[in-house]
C-alpha cells in the first residue's frame, strides 16, 4: 500500500510500504477515507521533533473497517469508524480514569514501539490495535456526506484537543474565555468553549481569515496583537481583570507568557500546545500570587468522542471549517509545505 | 507599643513603635494574644525577600478586640478573634469568589502600602482594616485553653495553607496523596489531606521529629529521601504510578521537580511553597505528556476559616503540634534564629 513517510526534515514522501495487516486477535485493519495534517506534524517536519528516516507519519484518520481479528466483537467489516490519535486498551487503570493517552498498552500512530513501526494515519490503511476500545463507530450514512465526514474527522484530534483545553481552563456556562492561538486547535478551543456555555470568548490572532472562523465558532471579541500588547488589550476588554478561563493552543514560551498575563486571579490556563523551547514561559511567582492554575496536556480524545459526536451529527457544533485545504495522498507533501508556510490552516487528505 | 521589626537580613529586633490605633471607621484594634513565625518570614530574614530597614514583620495572630470603628457592626471590644494573613474587604469581585488574597483593597500585615506602614502580627497590637470581613470570632472560652488557642492560631495561615494545597492537589475521599516538605505547612497538608478523606498519605521528609508529627497527623508512609531517590521510593510505594494528589510545600526548584516526578498521570500538584530560585523546576514537556495539573498559590485562608474551625474546636483536627517552640515577644529574635537553624519547626509567640 502507499503511505506518507518522513525521510528527513522538510522531506515528506508518499511511498510504497508493507500492507496494513492483522497481527493480534484484537486488531482491525481500517481502510482510510479521510486523514489530515496536524500542527504537531510540523514539529517533525521542521526537525524540532526527532523522527527516524523513513518513519511513518500522520495520526488523524477515519475510515472503513476492512478486516477484524478473532477477538474483535464490536466491529465488522464495512463499519465506518473514527480513530483517536492514540490507541488504548480500554481496561488499564488510566483508561478506567478516562486518561487513554496514558494507557499502559497505548501508542501513537506512526510510532516505532515494541512491535516495530506502526501504521501512520496519512496512508491507505492502518492496523488498529485494541480495535474494540480504540475505534468509535460512526453512522454509515456519513460516508456519503462530504462536509459531515470532514467534521467527524476532527474527533480524531483537533476538536477533542480543543475540548480538553476548554475543560482544563475550567470553562463553564457564563465564563469569560480567552484563546491564545488562531491555529486549528485554538479555533476548536473557541468552538468547544461556546459548546460548554461560555458567555464571552476573546480570540487572540493576527490572521483575519482565521479570526473570521473564530467568530463563526463563537468568538465575541478578537484581539489582533501579541505579547504585552495582547495582554493589555484583553485586560481592557475584561475590566482590568483578565479571563477566568484561558486556552493556550500554541506551545511556545511567548504564548504561555501571554496566557499567564491574561488570566484572571483564581483562573486557569488549559494548555494543549505541545511545549517547545528551552523555557516554560511560566512566571511561577506571578501564578502563585494570583492563584493561576495550569491544567492540560496531550488530550485523551478517545474519552471525549461519545460526548462530542452528537453535536457534530446534528450540526450544532461543526468543526469542519478548520479544514481549509484538501489534497489527495499524492498531495500530502505539498500539504505540509502549505501548512509550514501558513498558506493553509489545516489540510484534509482524501482518498 | 512594642513590636517586631526587621532592620536588615538576620537582624530582627523588638522595638517601641507607634500604638495601633483606629484610622478608618471599618477598623478594629486587636490586642495580640498569640502570634507566630512563618517559614515565609525566613525569606525576609535571609535577605531573599526585600524589606525596608525597620519594616514591621509577622502576619499570623489571634487576639482580643480592644476598640472598633464607627462602622464595625459584627465585633465588640472583648471578642476573641483570629486574623487571616491578608485583610480583605469582603465585597469585591475576588472576595465574592472566595479569593480574598486578591482583594482589591487587601493587604498583608507588616506591608507598606498607600496608608503607610501597617502593623505586623508579631507585636502587641494590630490595626485591622475591614475588621468585620477580615476577622473571625472565636469562642471566648478558648482564651483559657492554651492548647486550643495554639491550634486556633493555625487558622491564621499554616493550616489554611495546608488545606489550600490539599484542595489544589484535588484530594478526595480515597485519594493517595504525597506531601513534599516536612515543614509546618507540609505537616498541615498531611492533616488537611486526612481531613478530606485521603486513604493513603506519603510524607516526604528527612527529620524524624517532623515525620513523627506527620504520622500523628495521618501520614501512612514516610519517605526519608530527596530528589531522584524520593521519586523512586514514592513510585515503588504506588505500584509505579505515583500519587494522584501531590502537595508541594517548599517552593524550591528541586521540590517542584520532585513533585512532578511523584505525580500520577492525570494527577495534580497543589503548591503553596512560595516560589524561590531562578527556574520553576517544572518540566512542562513531562507535565504535558502525563497531564499533570498545577494549582495553588497564596492561600485565601479567610475563606477556609469557617470550614476548618469546627474540627479544631471539637479536637478532630488538631494542628497545634506544629508549634514546637514558644517564646515571648522579647524572644522573637531568638525564635527566628531557631527556625533558621532548623532547631525549631514553628515558633509560637505568647503575650
Amino acid at each position: 500500500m502507499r503511505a506518507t513517510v518522513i525521510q528527513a526534515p522538510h522531506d515528506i514522501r508518499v511511498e510504497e510500504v508493507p500492507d496494513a495487516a492483522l497481527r493480534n486477535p484484537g486488531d482491525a485493519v481500517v481502510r482510510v477515507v479521510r486523514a489530515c495534517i496536524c500542527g504537531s506534524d510540523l514539529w517533525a517536519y521542521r526537525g524540532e521533533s526527532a523522527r527516524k528516516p523513513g518513519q511513518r507519519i500522520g495520526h488523524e484518520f477515519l475510515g472503513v473497517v476492512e478486516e477484524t481479528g478473532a477477538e474483535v466483537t464490536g466491529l465488522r467489516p464495512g463499519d465506518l469508524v473514527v480513530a483517536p490519535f492514540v490507541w488504548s486498551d480500554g481496561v488499564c487503570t488510566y483508561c478506567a480514569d478516562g486518561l487513554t493517552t496514558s494507557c499502559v498498552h497505548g501508542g501513537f500512530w506512526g510510532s516505532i514501539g515494541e512491535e516495530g513501526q506502526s501504521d501512520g494515519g496519512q496512508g491507505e490503511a492502518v492496523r488498529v490495535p485494541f480495535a474494540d476500545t480504540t475505534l468509535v463507530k460512526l453512522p454509515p450514512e456519513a460516508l456519503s456526506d462530504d462536509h459531515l465526514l470532514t467534521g467527524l474527522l476532527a474527533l480524531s484530534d483537533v476538536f477533542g484537543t480543543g475540548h480538553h483545553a476548554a475543560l482544563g481552563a475550567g470553562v463553564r456556562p457564563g465564563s469569560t474565555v480567552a484563546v491564545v492561538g488562531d491555529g486549528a486547535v485554538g479555533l476548536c478551543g473557541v468552538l468547544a468553549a461556546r459548546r460548554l456555555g461560555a458567555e464571552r470568548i476573546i480570540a487572540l490572532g493576527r490572521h483575519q481569515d482565521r479570526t473570521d472562523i473564530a467568530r463563526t465558532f463563537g468568538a465575541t471579541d478578537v484581539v489582533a496583537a501579541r505579547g504585552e500588547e495582547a495582554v493589555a488589550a484583553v485586560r481592557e476588554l475584561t475590566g482590568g481583570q483578565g479571563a477566568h478561563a484561558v486556552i493556550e493552543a500554541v506551545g511556545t514560551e511567548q504564548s504561555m507568557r501571554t496566557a499567564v498575563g491574561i488570566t484572571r486571579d483564581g483562573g486557569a490556563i488549559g494548555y494543549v500546545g505541545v511545549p517547545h523551547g528551552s523555557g516554560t514561559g511560566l512566571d511561577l511567582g506571578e501564578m502563585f500570587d494570583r492563584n493561576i492554575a495550569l491544567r492540560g496536556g496531550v488530550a485523551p480524545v478517545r474519552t471525549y468522542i461519545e460526548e462530542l459526536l452528537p453535536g457534530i451529527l446534528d450540526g450544532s457544533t461543526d468543526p469542519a471549517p478548520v479544514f481549509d485545504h484538501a489534497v489527495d495522498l499524492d498531495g500530502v507533501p505539498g500539504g505540509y509545505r502549505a501548512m509550514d508556510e501558513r498558506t493553509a490552516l489545516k489540510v484534509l487528505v482524501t482518498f
Side-chain angles (χ1 to χ4, degrees), chain A:
Chain A
M1 68 176 194
R2 301 177 70 238
T4 306
V5 301
I6 178 164
Q7 286 294 352
H10 299 276
D11 184 0
I12 297 282
R13 302 182 197 178
V14 178
E15 294 185 351
E16 196 65 31
V17 300
D19 281 350
L22 300 178
R23 182 181 298 167
N24 300 316
D27 292 350
V29 170
V30 173
R31 170 90 15 204
V32 175
V33 174
R34 290 282 184 284
C36 53
I37 304 174
C38 180
S40 69
D41 291 331
L42 293 183
W43 294 112
Y45 182 75
R46 292 168 181 160
E48 299 189 45
S49 298
R51 292 292 186 279
K52 292 210 170 170
Q55 188 172 339
R56 308 277 284 281
I57 193 165
H59 55 263
E60 301 157 282
F61 64 97
L62 58 70
V64 174
V65 174
E66 206 168 58
E67 205 183 349
T68 57
E71 289 177 5
V72 175
T73 58
L75 298 166
R76 287 193 304 192
D79 284 344
L80 180 66
V81 290
V82 63
F85 65 87
V86 168
W87 68 78
S88 54
D89 68 15
V91 296
C92 77
T93 176
Y94 296 109
C95 285
D97 286 353
L99 196 66
T100 49
T101 46
S102 287
C103 173
V104 299
H105 296 113
F108 291 79
W109 312 114
S111 65
I112 300 172
E114 286 178 18
E115 297 193 327
Q117 170 72 70
S118 68
D119 294 316
Q122 293 157 5
E124 290 180 328
V126 175
R127 175 181 77 89
V128 177
F130 306 103
D132 272 331
T133 49
T134 299
L135 297 170
V136 178
K137 270 201 270 195
L138 301 172
E141 56 273 22
L143 251 182
S144 57
D145 183 337
D146 240 18
H147 186 87
L148 178 59
L149 214 52
T150 302
L152 292 169
L153 176 64
L155 292 170
S156 186
D157 182 346
V158 66
F159 185 40
T161 294
H163 179 67
H164 189 56
L167 293 181
V171 176
R172 287 187 295 266
S175 291
T176 293
V177 181
V179 181
V180 182
D182 59 3
V185 172
L187 295 175
C188 282
V190 171
L191 190 63
R194 191 197 65 186
R195 184 184 162 279
L196 290 167
E199 190 174 298
R200 193 165 182 195
I201 303 173
I202 304 166
L204 280 69
R206 298 186 302 170
H207 304 85
Q208 204 195 322
D209 49 340
R210 299 180 176 196
T211 55
D212 283 350
I213 298 174
R215 286 195 189 273
T216 69
F217 278 8
T220 53
D221 303 84
V222 166
V223 168
R226 270 193 176 178
E228 287 304 306
E229 203 187 331
V231 171
V234 173
R235 290 195 165 262
E236 168 122 17
L237 285 170
T238 54
Q241 297 184 358
H244 223 127
V246 173
I247 290 173
E248 194 290 309
V250 180
T252 62
E253 287 179 55
Q254 176 177 315
S255 63
M256 196 59 101
R257 199 170 297 121
T258 300
V260 171
I262 63 177
T263 306
R264 184 182 187 272
D265 290 21
I269 300 166
Y271 76 115
V272 290
V274 184
H276 276 82
S278 55
T280 62
L282 295 171
D283 181 335
L284 203 56
E286 180 178 357
M287 292 172 71
F288 183 90
D289 289 345
R290 306 207 288 112
N291 270 278
I292 295 174
L294 181 70
R295 201 164 33 195
V298 56
V301 298
R302 172 64 187 83
T303 299
Y304 302 140
I305 292 178
E306 281 90 347
E307 182 184 345
L308 300 178
L309 178 58
I312 297 182
L313 292 176
D314 71 20
S316 59
T317 43
D318 177 14
V322 299
F323 299 96
D324 65 339
H325 195 78
V327 296
D328 61 12
L329 184 54
D330 288 320
V332 168
Y336 274 81
R337 277 195 300 278
M339 280 179 63
D340 183 45
E341 292 162 3
R342 289 180 163 263
T343 57
L345 172 56
K346 189 168 178 74
V347 172
L348 180 71
V349 186
T350 60
F351 291 82

